[in-house]
Amino acid sequence: MSTQFAPAVAAFVGEDDPTAPLVVLLHGRGSDERQILSLAAHLPAGPSYAAVRAPIAEGGGFAWFANRGIGRPVATSLADTMAWFRAWLDEVAPAGRPVVLIGFSGGGAFAGGLVLDDPQRYAGAAILYATLPFDAGVPVSAQRLAGLPVIVAQGDNDHVIPRELLDGTWTYLHEESGAVVTSHRDAGGHGITQASLDALVGWLQALAG
């Protein structure tokens, strides 16, 4: 169970305002909370921003789940880390406080798992340069994310995430999930481009406004 993990380490931009929406930034595999927190400086004022360190030490950084292969989480590992994350989230953002997830790469897969597991808990999710966790124990059924605001960003030259997983994510979100999808695609690789950042900022502003 999730008790195997240490207590969550989270970094906030300034003081957390419990009356403001909470935007949680989820870093990629092998990274940490400080790296992804720097993204907040480029995002709209208004919400509180927090970055959480993934609970599994890996490669000089941290990971959100054990992998069967790139983009393919081990179902039991994902279930354990999602339970651990929810315990942290329910403390800092009790029911009623809007929570938006922004995940990059492995953090995007984790964000996808969280919203697929409990779509009603979140006010929106950004799946950036990532695959949804298919075949990993979370429902990927038709209309699972009905009405949920989601932004998906992908690069045509992303050679980190297998192309079939990126394509499957794009198709599911646009055609099957029922989510209210904003999408951005450009010629970039596996990294946030200025154009995708601009799209993310616009999406967040519309969500808050």
Side-chain angles (χ1 to χ4, degrees):
M1 288 297 295
S2 55
T3 50
Q4 65 187 292
F5 303 120
V9 174
F12 290 83
V13 172
E15 293 294 319
D16 180 32
D17 177 1
T19 66
L22 179 66
V23 177
V24 183
L25 305 172
L26 303 168
H27 63 76
R29 179 174 291 271
S31 184
D32 63 34
E33 76 286 0
R34 291 289 172 185
Q35 287 191 324
I36 192 80
L37 192 66
S38 64
L39 181 63
H42 305 283
L43 299 178
S48 285
Y49 291 94
V52 184
R53 180 186 299 171
I56 301 171
E58 182 175 296
F62 300 89
W64 293 105
F65 43 76
N67 256 355
R68 294 176 285 129
I70 293 175
R72 302 181 188 278
V74 174
T76 53
S77 177
L78 182 62
D80 284 348
T81 55
M82 288 196 305
W84 168 89
F85 177 86
R86 277 295 300 269
W88 171 81
L89 184 66
D90 289 346
E91 283 193 10
V92 298
R97 183 180 184 187
V99 175
V100 177
L101 303 174
I102 296 178
F104 171 74
S105 192
F110 190 63
L114 290 165
V115 295
L116 288 165
D117 184 61
D118 188 2
Q120 303 304 317
R121 181 67 174 91
Y122 302 97
I127 312 297
L128 309 178
Y129 305 90
T131 176
L132 292 172
F134 298 106
D135 303 316
V138 293
V140 191
S141 48
Q143 299 298 307
R144 179 66 180 169
L145 303 180
L148 183 72
V150 172
I151 182 169
V152 54
Q154 294 186 359
D156 289 336
N157 290 298
D158 187 338
H159 301 302
V160 174
I161 308 296
R163 176 50 55 184
E164 68 270 17
L165 294 178
L166 291 172
D167 290 346
T169 294
W170 190 271
T171 299
Y172 173 75
L173 288 174
H174 284 87
E175 300 179 12
E176 301 167 39
S177 70
V180 180
V181 181
T182 299
S183 50
H184 175 83
R185 205 161 187 167
D186 60 31
H190 189 69
I192 297 172
T193 62
Q194 185 61 52
S196 61
L197 177 59
D198 291 344
L200 177 63
V201 168
W203 176 78
L204 264 180
Q205 287 173 330
L207 204 57

